[in-house]
Amino acid sequence: MIAFLAQTLRIAVPYLFAAAGGVMSERAGLIGLTLEGYMLGGAFCAALGSFYSGSAWIGVLAGATGGVALALLYAVSAIRYRADQVVVGIAVNLLVIGATRFFLRLAFDSSSNSPPVPGFGLAATGTGFVALAGNPLVWMAVGSIVFVAWLLYRTPFGLRVRAVGEHPTAAQSVGIRVARIRYVSVALSGALAAFGGAYLALDQHQFSAEMTAGRGFIALAATIFGRWDPWRAALACLLFAGAETLEIQLQGAQLVPSQFVEMIPYVLTIIALAGVVGRAVPPAALGKVAE
């Protein structure tokens, strides 16, 4: 049981980062479809920074920088040029998939994975609670949920974010700069999701092509399942991580065909969303262009 819980927490770390970013973006009115791209871009930049600097912390900063750059690309397209957020989100994700493969070959002469990169110690790759406690990104993941909850519900900026996500026209009428709030929120979303990608790359001590494997979309599902609340989204992340842990253990036991076992996290995601989407009320301005 302890091993199961430790493995669940380990798997949940990138979900927690990305879901925190998803809450920030969507509460400001911008669809978080780009979380997958932010995570993958953050993972690649973290591996690149860690490899050439020899420091895992430089890798984390490089990953966050990559995530913010991608987020600002999305924000400029959706806010400044009023592009459809779903179309731009898909485009950013596809761009990151192609760009990471291109630069992976350019930097490391490989289209599949990078050489080994420095992480936070070999012990941090273990599955026990002691190993997890030695990885600062695990604590940062938990802190990201606390930070977003505090920012949204305890600060004037968070009040402005919620106002912009619900009624941007009314917010603008009282002097709130809607575009600025959205830019900051999306940039923060990109940084948080990129931390999740950085965790994957540094925990595995290398970058692999498309290593995020849909985790950004599961984090987006956790954001929706959690009804755009960071605490509920965190619980949803733990639920989905628990399903993935169960999948891994069932594969080891070989009690059922592996194809059915691999479906567990995604089937659970569909069931969870089917039960909540009809009742959940998203931010009123989500996906809409501010006038």
Side-chain angles (χ1 to χ4, degrees):
M1 178 56 100
I2 294 178
F4 182 90
L5 293 176
Q7 180 76 346
T8 297
L9 180 58
R10 179 173 178 268
I11 291 173
V13 169
Y15 293 148
L16 291 171
F17 275 125
V23 170
M24 281 302 306
S25 181
E26 299 218 335
R27 289 303 288 264
L30 281 91
I31 298 173
L33 194 61
T34 45
L35 294 176
E36 178 76 6
Y38 300 159
M39 290 183 73
L40 185 59
F44 176 77
C45 291
L48 197 67
S50 180
F51 179 80
Y52 284 106
S53 70
S55 169
W57 282 113
I58 297 296
V60 171
L61 292 176
T65 302
V68 170
L70 291 169
L72 290 178
L73 174 63
Y74 170 59
V76 168
S77 301
I79 299 171
R80 174 66 178 84
Y81 296 104
R82 299 170 179 257
D84 185 279
Q85 294 178 19
V86 173
V87 174
V88 176
I90 294 173
V92 169
N93 289 334
L94 294 176
L95 171 66
V96 175
I97 291 173
T100 50
R101 283 188 176 273
F102 173 78
F103 288 109
L104 185 62
R105 179 171 290 278
L106 191 66
F108 303 116
D109 196 28
S110 171
S111 60
S112 58
N113 56 268
S114 72
V117 302
F120 288 105
L122 292 176
T125 61
T127 57
F129 283 112
V130 174
L132 288 172
N135 190 333
L137 287 174
V138 174
W139 296 101
M140 288 173 63
V142 177
S144 69
I145 297 296
V146 177
F147 170 72
V148 170
W150 170 80
L151 190 66
L152 283 176
Y153 301 131
R154 300 293 182 181
T155 67
F157 175 76
L159 180 61
R160 291 183 175 90
V161 170
R162 288 181 283 135
V164 165
E166 292 294 339
H167 205 308
T169 303
Q172 191 170 19
S173 69
V174 296
I176 296 175
R177 296 184 178 181
V178 173
R180 177 180 294 183
I181 294 296
R182 286 186 165 180
Y183 274 117
V184 174
S185 299
V186 173
L188 185 57
S189 171
L192 288 169
F195 283 140
Y199 170 82
L200 291 173
L202 299 181
D203 184 62
Q204 298 178 24
H205 291 270
Q206 71 171 5
F207 173 84
S208 302
E210 300 182 45
M211 69 184 306
T212 50
R215 288 179 175 86
F217 298 115
I218 293 180
L220 178 60
T223 300
I224 298 170
F225 185 48
R227 301 188 181 188
W228 300 273
D229 176 78
W231 298 112
R232 291 178 178 177
L235 292 176
C237 289
L238 292 174
L239 175 64
F240 295 148
E244 193 170 335
T245 302
L246 179 62
E247 171 203 338
I248 293 171
Q249 295 197 350
L250 287 177
Q251 282 182 335
Q254 297 182 345
L255 297 176
V256 294
S258 61
Q259 294 85 351
F260 291 100
V261 173
E262 291 172 359
M263 293 167 55
I264 291 175
Y266 306 100
V267 170
L268 177 62
T269 302
I270 293 172
I271 293 173
L273 289 179
V276 76
V277 167
R279 299 191 301 272
V281 180
L286 181 60
K288 298 179 182 178
V289 177
E291 298 297 334

